[in-house]
Amino acid sequence: MVEGKVLHLIWDPKEYDVWYEIPLGNLSDRLEKELVFSLIDVKLGEAVLDAGCGTGNYSIELARRGADVIGIDSSEEMLAWARQKAQGVRLKVNFQVADAMTLPFVDSSFDLIISNGLLCFLKEPEKALIEMHRVLKPGGRLVVGVLNRWSPWAFFRRIKGLYKDTIYNQAYFISPPELEGLIIGAGFDVKETSTCLFFFPINNRVYLKIAEQFERLNRRLIPKTGAFLAVSAVKKE
């Protein structure tokens, strides 16, 4: 997770990536990516910043889609793991240690910025969004993903935190109106707000297979209550 008044967290890249290997994590990742990439059209060769890239999950997918990607994070351990993953699939990604509050890029450097999970672990997320606004080109696109406060997952994670130390004890869950307000306050025009992961966080293949069938229906019936909240926006011309 990127620094700059960040909540104190220590990430183990191996443990972090275990999430994607279990049924619940694998399905969550697939549905989150489906949502994120439905909000943007990644164009061949455009400059993209993945802010708070962790082990490179989205950075690698962006590179696979033909973008020229820079992934930033505060953890060199996470970035080293990300580099290995990118090399393993023969994709080029420029991974750099950087602070989200003071991005080391000149104004109007990027066509697109993606940031998933970062804002939930920043004490002053509005400052990171202002920096993202600065380094985006006029008309550039932004997609931000966070943990949704209006989801049952938020409740379950808080309860779990009462008897077990987890990263979610230090996370800040954000509601759809709050995220929209932060993004607008940083100078963006909000284009679309959507959520996914409407099922309960139960790591059971049979349950998850059934739950997945109701994702599209729930997106219409209870559109703001999915565990993963994503907002797309544009920097004003």
Side-chain angles (χ1 to χ4, degrees):
M1 201 57 57
V2 178
E3 292 176 343
K5 295 191 176 179
V6 182
L7 298 174
H8 180 66
L9 296 169
I10 299 175
W11 302 92
D12 182 309
K14 294 181 181 180
E15 292 183 5
Y16 185 92
D17 272 3
V18 165
W19 165 254
Y20 300 111
E21 298 174 6
I22 68 172
L24 178 59
N26 185 271
L27 176 60
S28 299
D29 179 54
R30 180 158 52 82
L31 293 175
E32 288 173 16
K33 281 198 176 83
E34 179 182 295
L35 174 57
V36 166
F37 288 105
S38 74
L39 297 176
I40 51 171
D41 179 23
V42 181
K43 299 178 177 64
L44 183 66
E46 66 180 350
V48 181
L49 175 66
D50 183 5
C53 65
T55 60
N57 187 25
Y58 276 85
S59 300
I60 292 170
E61 181 59 31
L62 288 161
R64 184 176 287 116
R65 292 170 183 247
D68 184 6
V69 186
I70 295 178
I72 64 166
D73 202 277
S74 67
S75 170
E76 178 56 43
E77 290 78 11
M78 297 286 272
L79 294 176
W81 190 261
R83 291 186 190 102
Q84 290 183 17
K85 288 166 61 177
Q87 291 169 2
V89 291
R90 298 185 178 182
L91 288 171
K92 182 181 178 181
V93 180
N94 182 359
F95 290 109
Q96 301 180 20
V97 174
D99 184 340
M101 302 297 183
T102 54
L103 293 171
F105 310 110
V106 300
D107 296 358
S108 303
S109 295
F110 297 97
D111 301 292
L112 168 66
I113 295 178
I114 286 183
S115 181
N116 285 309
L118 170 66
L119 298 190
C120 296
F121 297 96
L122 292 178
K123 293 181 180 179
E124 298 176 286
E126 63 278 3
K127 291 188 177 181
L129 287 168
I130 290 170
E131 272 292 272
M132 292 178 199
H133 183 275
R134 178 183 66 80
V135 301
L136 262 182
K137 298 176 183 178
R141 296 107 65 216
L142 171 75
V143 177
V144 175
V146 299
L147 305 169
N148 185 9
R149 186 189 300 169
W150 288 359
S151 165
W153 286 44
F155 173 76
F156 286 123
R157 282 166 168 167
R158 291 302 190 200
I159 294 298
K160 184 177 180 180
L162 295 176
Y163 60 88
K164 183 178 180 180
D165 186 26
T166 75
I167 61 170
Y168 301 111
N169 289 346
Q170 301 181 61
Y172 180 67
F173 293 79
I174 303 175
S175 69
E178 184 179 6
L179 182 57
E180 290 174 353
L182 287 169
I183 292 172
I184 292 170
F188 293 94
D189 283 331
V190 168
K191 294 302 181 183
E192 188 173 349
T193 300
S194 190
T195 72
C196 66
L197 311 186
F198 298 94
F199 47 85
F200 294 114
I202 300 171
N203 188 38
N204 178 277
R205 291 184 186 277
V206 175
Y207 167 77
L208 293 172
K209 186 174 182 179
I210 296 171
E212 184 180 0
Q213 307 307 311
F214 292 93
E215 274 287 304
R216 295 186 184 279
L217 176 63
N218 287 332
R219 193 173 294 180
R220 294 196 299 270
L221 297 177
I222 46 175
K224 298 297 178 67
T225 63
F228 180 75
L229 164 64
V231 172
S232 64
V234 174
K235 181 176 177 176
K236 300 174 184 178
E237 295 281 357

